[in-house]
Amino acid sequence: MSDTEAPPVVAADPLPLAKSKCEQCNIHDAKYKCPTCLFRTCSLSCSKQHKASSGCSGERDRSKFVKRAEYDANTLMSDYGFLQDLARDCTNLSHDAEEQGVKGRQPAGTVLTRAQKNIMARAKSERQVIIRYMSPGIQRHKANKTLWASSRSRLVWTVEVVVPEIEAGLNKWIETGFHDVCRVGDLWTKLLQSGRCARQANDLGDEAPPRKRARNDPVRIQLASDDGVEHPFSSAIPLELLQTLKSDFGQTPIEDLVWLIRVQDTPANKPTFSKINPSEPLYTQLRYQTVLEFPTVYVYKQAPAKIGGHTVTIEEPRVSSIETEVSNTPDVPTLGEACESESLKSPYE
């Protein structure tokens, strides 16, 4: 090596890691860490003392969330073993159920009853509306009491009404037994015009004063329909919500409100709604729509521009492509009209 060359640089030994004392005895250096509470101990005896004094199980929570930066090969193998244990437990439970003659749960998915299949078929063929059912455990599925009235050839809906502009307290309720020949606007108007739902004096005697409506009492009204018959209806609207609607919407005609239903099969970041006419029967407003279990009607004073930070798209009422083709087809003269023209004489004259 020449005199001009610099001597090689020798890397310094790394500094030893700082060791903490055992948190149980505070004498020896800690060697172990409790998988459950990260308590540091130096020996098996201290670990046992820690479990006895604290009641800690000493087992790692295998379902605990692990940050991506802390996820390593040991965590991966632990998760793999956890999934294997779950699969083994499921298999053992299935075998035990078969040996005891107990039927296992149905596979995930929606298993429709015969009545639900009939409702879907009738709704599609008679009312041109598609009904989708959810899994039995979903709360919306449990609340759905929609049925097909064969004697009257109509749907008797469960209907949800939502008033998003009411920010404090309740802003929605669910009605059952709503005939699709009735009008949502009529329901809204009759509720706002209803009194305090006092019982009539002739029901309790002439001397008995009418009582105020209790919290859970239904609002009994009459709903007109397009078949000329008024249907008695018991509304389940909560009392506090009815009072809020009367104070906030009592002076607003239904024609000045915006009535919307959600359009299905649209992205969550592109909320899309379709306008409905509250003065028309419900079945005419649900044509060519898809509803999830039952229709949800949104009522606004002003059309919303954004929901959850996403721009809202509002469509006009849908029209079937078949109706559109028929309306765009030029009128074809009948045989009688054609025979009346000068160029064609009827052979039966």
Side-chain angles (χ1 to χ4, degrees):
M1 179 174 60
S2 63
D3 297 338
T4 59
E5 293 181 356
V9 178
V10 180
D13 294 336
L15 295 176
L17 296 177
K19 294 185 178 180
S20 60
K21 294 294 183 179
C22 173
E23 298 179 21
Q24 183 66 32
C25 64
N26 291 321
I27 299 176
H28 304 290
D29 294 336
K31 298 181 181 179
Y32 311 105
K33 184 168 59 176
C34 178
T36 304
C37 60
L38 305 182
F39 191 86
R40 302 185 69 85
T41 56
C42 64
S43 61
L44 178 60
S45 61
C46 286
S47 177
K48 290 182 178 180
Q49 292 177 15
H50 157 64
K51 293 179 182 179
S53 60
S54 64
C56 180
S57 63
E59 297 180 357
R60 186 178 72 88
D61 184 5
R62 303 172 75 179
S63 61
K64 182 180 178 181
F65 174 77
V66 179
K67 295 181 180 179
R68 187 173 182 179
E70 301 174 359
Y71 199 88
D72 54 12
N74 292 332
T75 310
L76 175 63
M77 295 304 299
S78 177
D79 290 347
Y80 180 72
F82 179 57
L83 295 177
Q84 281 188 322
D85 293 343
L86 288 179
R88 190 181 304 111
D89 292 342
C90 290
T91 302
N92 293 337
L93 289 174
S94 299
H95 291 167
D96 294 342
E98 291 178 359
E99 292 176 357
Q100 297 176 9
V102 178
K103 294 184 179 180
R105 293 185 60 185
Q106 295 292 337
T110 304
V111 181
L112 300 180
T113 63
R114 180 179 298 180
Q116 291 171 341
K117 292 179 180 178
N118 178 62
I119 293 173
M120 290 180 62
R122 291 290 188 175
K124 187 175 182 180
S125 61
E126 304 291 338
R127 295 309 197 195
Q128 292 78 49
V129 58
I130 298 176
I131 300 177
R132 290 181 182 172
Y133 286 100
M134 307 176 74
S135 298
I138 304 299
Q139 188 64 33
R140 189 175 180 87
H141 181 83
K142 295 179 180 179
N144 188 8
K145 307 299 181 184
T146 301
L147 55 89
W148 174 260
S150 301
S151 60
R152 300 184 178 183
S153 298
R154 68 183 60 166
L155 283 166
V156 182
W157 283 106
T158 294
V159 179
E160 182 180 26
V161 183
V162 182
V163 190
E165 292 174 333
I166 299 178
E167 298 180 354
L170 292 173
N171 65 351
K172 61 182 178 181
W173 80 97
I174 295 179
E175 302 282 16
T176 57
F178 188 86
H179 291 244
D180 66 357
V181 294
C182 297
R183 301 164 178 83
V184 180
D186 191 25
L187 169 65
W188 180 274
T189 303
K190 294 291 180 62
L191 288 178
L192 296 188
Q193 292 176 351
S194 63
R196 293 200 44 95
C197 303
R199 187 177 297 176
Q200 299 296 330
N202 55 10
D203 293 338
L204 299 176
D206 295 337
E207 299 180 357
R211 67 176 178 86
K212 293 183 178 180
R213 179 196 172 200
R215 182 177 297 272
N216 297 325
D217 282 354
V219 183
R220 293 182 173 86
I221 55 179
Q222 296 284 335
L223 296 179
S225 61
D226 66 344
D227 57 4
V229 179
E230 286 196 349
H231 298 277
F233 186 79
S234 297
S235 173
I237 183 172
L239 177 59
E240 56 269 25
L241 178 55
L242 179 58
Q243 294 173 346
T244 303
L245 291 180
K246 288 182 178 181
S247 60
D248 295 352
F249 295 84
Q251 304 300 324
T252 306
I254 60 173
E255 296 81 7
D256 296 341
L257 299 174
V258 180
W259 301 77
L260 305 173
I261 57 175
R262 188 71 178 257
V263 177
Q264 301 298 324
D265 303 324
T266 56
N269 59 353
K270 295 181 181 179
T272 305
F273 294 84
S274 178
K275 284 185 178 181
I276 64 171
N277 186 352
S279 300
E280 296 292 333
L282 182 60
Y283 76 91
T284 63
Q285 304 305 301
L286 294 180
R287 282 176 179 167
Y288 323 118
Q289 295 284 355
T290 299
V291 298
L292 198 60
E293 292 284 350
F294 50 84
T296 298
V297 180
Y298 297 85
V299 185
Y300 289 89
K301 286 186 177 179
Q302 293 182 351
K306 287 188 176 182
I307 294 180
H310 304 298
T311 303
V312 175
T313 302
I314 298 180
E315 301 177 348
E316 294 299 323
R318 293 190 172 185
V319 179
S320 170
S321 58
I322 298 178
E323 280 192 359
T324 304
E325 292 176 3
V326 171
S327 62
N328 294 333
T329 303
D331 295 336
V332 179
T334 61
L335 178 59
E337 294 173 346
C339 291
E340 291 177 358
S341 63
E342 297 180 357
S343 58
L344 180 61
K345 298 297 182 181
S346 173
Y348 302 103
E349 289 183 354

